[in-house]
Amino acid sequence: MGTVIMHSVASVDGFIADDKDDVGPLHDWYFGGDVPIVEGGSMKVSRASADYVRSTWAGLGTIIMGRRLFDQVNGWEGEPPAGDHVVVVSHRPKPEGWHPEASYHFVDDVTAAVAKAKELAGDRDVAVNAGEVGGQILAAGLVDEVAIDVVPVVFGSGRRYFGGVDGQHLLADPHVVIQGERVLHLRFKVRR
């Protein structure tokens, strides 16, 4: 069984987007290097970031995202950046006629989302996009690790990495600390 990893790029002050849902310069590091993440792809990062991102993406079977992000990116047009499947947490169904060939599954509960994502992922990992849905999955005790790609930007306000999560959640010391160019990759196990 794979690991459930809550992940996103975040500002130094813990935001995944500004007040207008704009990610601003948070993803610039994906295009600022000279090493392609995927052969022939437009995303080029530093060597340290490329090795980390490639290995992380290769281990993913399923991504869990909220409906807000799905709508913003139009579900990546049915082609997730990593993994083979996507589970969308939403009270609304998949848009009629939207990429029927894509392995996108719509569920209305975070517990059901994690169960479906694990089923689809098999032995591979599950990535949970940070934000409100990610915070709910963390609060439900269903996240094994937290991965944050910290970018040297301060937003001051916006959409929080952990959403509106209530209560305290303890993390172990980081077991991954990789300095890329304009990004610091961190991974923590969730203490139970």
Side-chain angles (χ1 to χ4, degrees):
M1 179 75 50
T3 302
V4 177
I5 306 164
M6 183 175 170
H7 173 261
S8 192
V9 178
S11 64
V12 172
D13 54 344
F15 295 100
I16 58 174
D18 67 16
D19 291 322
K20 296 180 177 117
D21 282 337
D22 187 353
V23 297
L26 290 182
H27 295 169
D28 288 355
W29 66 274
Y30 276 123
F31 304 94
D34 54 2
V35 181
I37 295 173
V38 178
E39 206 56 43
S42 63
M43 299 172 90
K44 294 181 179 180
V45 297
S46 68
R47 168 60 54 204
S49 290
D51 292 343
Y52 172 72
V53 173
R54 283 178 183 156
S55 66
T56 299
W57 286 11
L60 293 180
T62 307
I63 295 174
I64 299 174
M65 66 191 315
R67 183 58 180 254
R68 181 182 198 146
L69 180 58
F70 173 85
D71 288 343
Q72 286 174 333
V73 300
N74 194 26
W76 302 297
E77 297 297 337
E79 305 250 347
D84 300 316
H85 314 280
V86 174
V87 175
V88 181
V89 180
S90 177
H91 295 295
R92 293 180 286 145
K94 179 165 46 171
E96 193 171 320
W98 183 89
H99 296 282
E101 76 289 352
S103 181
Y104 278 59
H105 308 267
F106 286 65
V107 298
D108 64 0
D109 173 80
V110 294
T111 303
V114 172
K116 183 67 175 176
K118 285 181 170 183
E119 172 193 324
L120 293 166
D123 290 336
R124 296 171 73 196
D125 294 334
V126 172
V128 176
N129 283 95
E132 290 300 324
V133 167
Q136 291 171 26
I137 293 172
L138 177 70
L142 301 172
V143 171
D144 301 312
E145 293 186 17
V146 171
I148 305 174
D149 298 323
V150 181
V151 175
V153 172
V154 175
F155 278 161
S157 64
R159 299 196 18 86
R160 297 175 181 272
Y161 179 93
F162 292 102
V165 70
D166 289 329
Q168 183 180 54
H169 300 274
L170 298 177
L171 306 176
D173 288 338
H175 63 93
V176 172
V177 179
I178 298 171
Q179 183 174 341
E181 292 174 18
R182 305 290 303 155
V183 63
L184 178 63
H185 307 285
L186 301 170
R187 277 179 75 165
F188 308 83
K189 293 188 184 304
V190 175
R191 290 173 53 187
R192 308 243 189 242

